[in-house]
Amino acid sequence: MYKVVVSDLDGTLLNSAHQISARTRATLHNLVQQGVKFVMATGRHYVDVRHIRDTLGLDIYLITSNGAVVHDKQDQLVFNQTIAADIARELVTLERDSDIHLNVYYGEEWLVEAEMPWLLQFHHESGFSYRKVDLASHPLDRVNKVFYIGEHEKLVEIEQGLKARYGQLLHVTFSLPDCLEVMHGEVNKGSAVKAVLEQNGLNLEQAIAFGDGMNDFEMLSMVGHGVVMGNAHDRLLNALPHHQRTLTSDEDGVAHYLERCFAR
């Protein structure tokens, strides 16, 4: 039986109201009480996820910014990989359409160049919010993630351009069809999960993981058992056609699968 459960948040552990359901909460608590370890692995910022963790009421590792940042159960920073400042500068000054919104995770902050109040619905419980700045002149020495929000087709063009220009220097992936995320080339959730497990004397074969986006691809590919959500993006479904699937996040897909898996 698996000793570790790893889960993405948005579209996976969180429902469309950006909340963890009572059923999912109870299922996770039951597994932890049985000695199963639980790890959150998300593209969200640590400050935001810390509140979700505290609300859940479990002492767990947090993998945030798609694996660029890892905190242990005592909230100690154990890993922090930033984008080179010169490349980060190029990313924030990248020529793009005016309706493509630029975001930067810089240290403890979420920085934007334009107001985006509609985005705050994802963070209403934690209260985590952005700060509007002139990114072109702001220091960029502590950037964990740059992400662009906008029309999918336009983001695909940006994705292709970044991959052609930077190759393995950057990890470029979609978390949502309208959100293109950029990290240091060595950063992904799978590598972060591997490091966390090794720190606890475990290996990837002992873990089961859940995800719904392409930023979950490495994680789902590397663990012993990767499960794709019923509401997963087409890219992930096409990339992992033979992986097991579960119900959607609104149907408590993670809890549903875990209850069946651990009942065997």
Side-chain angles (χ1 to χ4, degrees), residues 72-219:
D72 66 15
K73 298 177 182 179
Q74 288 75 44
D75 278 341
Q76 296 299 309
L77 180 66
V78 297
F79 182 77
N80 182 28
Q81 180 67 72
T82 59
I83 299 172
D86 57 336
I87 295 180
R89 181 70 59 196
E90 293 173 2
L91 293 175
V92 302
T93 56
L94 179 73
E95 185 176 347
R96 63 193 185 281
D97 288 352
S98 59
D99 58 348
I100 300 296
H101 300 284
L102 174 66
N103 300 255
V104 172
Y105 281 173
Y106 177 80
E108 295 287 293
E109 292 190 286
W110 168 18
L111 306 178
V112 300
E113 61 179 0
E115 295 287 345
M116 294 180 292
W118 55 272
L119 259 186
L120 298 179
Q121 64 179 311
F122 289 88
H123 314 279
H124 66 275
E125 289 196 356
S126 69
F128 185 54
S129 183
Y130 55 70
R131 181 165 69 92
K132 181 182 175 182
V133 301
D134 179 11
L135 284 167
S137 60
H138 193 279
L140 297 172
D141 56 319
R142 294 188 288 130
V143 174
N144 290 116
K145 185 175 83 168
V146 174
F147 56 110
Y148 308 92
I149 296 175
E151 184 181 332
H152 180 70
E153 289 72 18
K154 294 180 179 179
L155 294 180
V156 169
E157 294 180 5
I158 294 177
E159 174 195 29
Q160 293 172 345
L162 292 178
K163 287 185 174 181
R165 177 178 176 83
Y166 297 102
Q168 295 184 346
L169 291 176
L170 294 176
H171 181 205
V172 184
T173 187
F174 279 93
S175 58
L176 294 166
D178 61 356
C179 186
L180 182 67
E181 313 208 344
V182 185
M183 289 72 57
H184 185 281
E186 297 176 357
V187 165
N188 63 72
K189 292 184 183 181
S191 296
V193 169
K194 182 175 184 290
V196 167
L197 295 185
E198 288 177 346
Q199 191 174 66
N200 286 271
L202 299 167
N203 60 60
L204 289 166
E205 286 298 315
Q206 296 171 296
I208 180 173
F210 298 83
D212 74 307
M214 280 305 292
N215 60 331
D216 300 311
F217 173 78
E218 291 84 1
M219 175 177 75

Side-chain angles (χ1 to χ4, degrees), residues 5-9 11-14 21 23-24 27-28 31 38 208-211 227-231 246-262:
V5 174
V6 187
S7 181
D8 170 50
L9 286 181
T12 304
L13 201 69
L14 302 180
S21 73
R23 177 185 179 184
T24 298
T27 299
L28 294 177
L31 291 179
F38 178 58
I208 180 173
F210 298 83
V227 182
V228 179
M229 300 299 294
N231 51 278
T246 187
L247 302 177
T248 68
S249 58
D250 281 338
E251 296 171 305
D252 296 329
V254 173
H256 173 80
Y257 199 95
L258 289 174
E259 288 162 5
R260 294 172 58 197
C261 181
F262 283 87

